[in-house]
């Protein structure tokens, strides 16, 4: 094989960048868990001893962590004063959980994906699946925090208003079923926005349901918001105005069966909202930074989860609109349209 030296050098440069990002991912998690980013946010330039004192940590470790952050461009370093600064742009990503670009929660996701590697490697050989409940617990809180950023800034503001007639129903006291709700982030956001609505979150993962219940314990939401352990195909009839699937339908072994069942739990004029990871229909159109993230997650989390269940359709996290439309139509929905999108999500409306 004839090697093009320029291409090789360019690729090695890319690999150095990728390796640096991979090795620094655990340091993002450390900064998040120890409150280092939050302590730096808005604090101006500070030395390693100052940050250590603010956070109750050891200066020698902080000095090394800050050096790695500066080398990554996550913080700025002034050699003349030996002080480090977290610029406001980086603070929006690492320190402000309510920011529309907050991403520090991905540290838990990355840790979980690294941990499950051996299990998925064995599944490559056997063809078996790896259930969501067999994942590292870091995955559950990491997933909730990752998607919370988008849900908080788009769900009530843009997605629900894009659904035909749904807002008025919910404002007047409608009912919502949130399927695959996980820690209940999406359920809580809808319950807060529509105080007259009845909201029920369902998930087959009991520890996630326990966390969701705890999140509303003692609040005014507790009287009209409930969380129940159930698979999508096992939820009881509820005559719901709105049934939602937030970034979970592709994880299910039988998404057609799940949609077919929940269609029977909806009112005749009810709506199903399906939120899925952003994806184009063709592989070549997904070879971009977002597709890179989602194909990796799909290999280690989504596809193994589906293959661990009955049917095992394994849509993957990059199924695309055409595939999702086909699933909805096979489930008996006659109307299907895309109503919204963000860099990370596509939102569909399906009606019987």
């Amino acid at each position: 094989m004839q090697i093009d030296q320029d291409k090789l050098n360019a690729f090695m440069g890319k690999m150095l960048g990728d390796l640096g990002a991979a090795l620094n991912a655990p340091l993002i998690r450390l900064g998040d868990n120890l409150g280092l980013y939050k302590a730096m946010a808005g604090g101006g330039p500070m030395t390693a001893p100052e940050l250590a004192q603010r956070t109750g940590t050891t200066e020698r470790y902080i000095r090394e962590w800050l050096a790695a952050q500066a080398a990554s461009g996550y913080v700025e370093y002034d050699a003349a004063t030996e002080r480090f600064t977290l610029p406001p742009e980086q603070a929006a990503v690492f320190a402000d959980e309510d920011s529309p670009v907050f991403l520090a929660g991905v540290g838990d996701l990355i840790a979980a994906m690294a941990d499950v590697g051996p299990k998925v490697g064995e599944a490559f050989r056997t063809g078996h699946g790896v259930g969501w409940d067999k994942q590292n617990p870091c995955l559950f809180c990491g997933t909730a925090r990752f998607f919370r950023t988008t849900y908080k800034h788009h769900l009530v503001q843009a997605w629900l208003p894009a659904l035909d007639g749904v807002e008025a129903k919910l404002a007047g006291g409608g009912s919502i079923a949130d399927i695959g709700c996980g820690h209940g982030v999406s359920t809580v956001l809808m319950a807060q926005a529509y105080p007259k609505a009845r909201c029920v979150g369902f998930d087959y993962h009991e520890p996630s349901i326990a966390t969701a219940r705890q999140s509303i314990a003692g609040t005014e939401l507790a009287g009209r918001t409930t969380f129940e352990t159930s698979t999508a195909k096992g939820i009881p009839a509820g005559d719901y105005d709105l049934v939602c699937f937030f970034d979970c339908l592709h994880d299910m072994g039988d998404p057609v069966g799940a949609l077919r069942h929940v269609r029977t739990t909806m009112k005749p004029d009810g709506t199903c909202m399906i939120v899925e990871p952003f994806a184009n229909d063709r592989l070549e159109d997904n070879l971009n930074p977002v597709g890179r993230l989602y194909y990796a997650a799909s290999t280690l989390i989504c596809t193994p989860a589906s293959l661990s269940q009955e049917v095992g359709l394994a849509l993957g996290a990059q199924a695309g609109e055409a595939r999702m439309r086909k699933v909805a139509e096979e489930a008996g929905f006659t109307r299907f349209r895309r109503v919204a999108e963000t860099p990370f999500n596509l939102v569909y409306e399906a009606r019987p």
Side-chain angles (χ1 to χ4, degrees), residues 66-270:
L66 282 169
Q69 297 295 291
S72 294
Y74 298 162
V75 305
E76 295 177 352
Y77 176 62
D78 184 348
T81 63
E82 296 186 343
R83 291 179 179 273
F84 300 84
T85 304
L86 183 68
E89 295 78 15
Q90 281 87 325
V93 174
F94 291 126
D96 182 1
E97 302 233 10
D98 289 330
S99 159
V101 292
F102 178 73
L103 283 175
V106 299
D108 284 334
L109 280 175
I110 294 169
M113 291 169 71
D115 181 71
V116 81
K119 292 180 182 178
V120 175
E122 181 61 24
F124 266 61
R125 298 184 180 92
T126 64
H128 298 158
V130 179
W132 178 264
D133 59 323
K134 300 299 189 293
Q135 293 275 352
N136 185 303
C138 291
L139 177 65
F140 314 133
C141 57
T143 299
R145 292 180 75 200
F146 175 75
F147 284 117
R148 177 184 181 273
T149 296
T150 300
Y151 297 168
K152 179 177 176 59
H153 293 276
H154 296 277
L155 172 54
V156 173
Q157 299 88 331
W159 297 351
L160 290 174
L163 303 175
D164 188 17
V166 168
E167 263 200 315
K169 293 177 183 177
L170 300 183
S175 56
I176 303 171
D178 188 0
I179 314 299
C181 67
H183 285 190
V185 171
S186 49
T187 319
V188 168
L189 287 170
M190 291 186 289
Q192 290 171 334
Y194 302 99
K196 294 182 179 180
R198 176 176 63 90
C199 301
V200 187
F202 297 96
D203 200 289
Y204 92 103
H205 188 240
E206 176 59 37
S208 290
I209 288 296
T211 299
R213 288 171 177 162
Q214 184 59 37
S215 73
I216 63 169
T219 73
E220 59 89 17
L221 297 181
R224 55 187 177 82
T225 305
T226 57
F227 292 100
E228 305 295 338
T229 303
S230 176
T231 64
K233 293 168 70 174
I235 68 169
D239 210 23
Y240 294 106
D241 292 288
L242 176 66
V243 176
C244 309
F245 291 84
F246 288 97
D247 290 290
C248 64
L249 187 62
H250 66 273
D251 293 310
M252 297 180 184
D254 184 13
V256 174
L259 281 177
R260 185 180 292 123
H261 173 72
V262 300
R263 184 168 58 83
T264 69
T265 72
M266 296 163 49
K267 291 182 178 179
D269 63 343

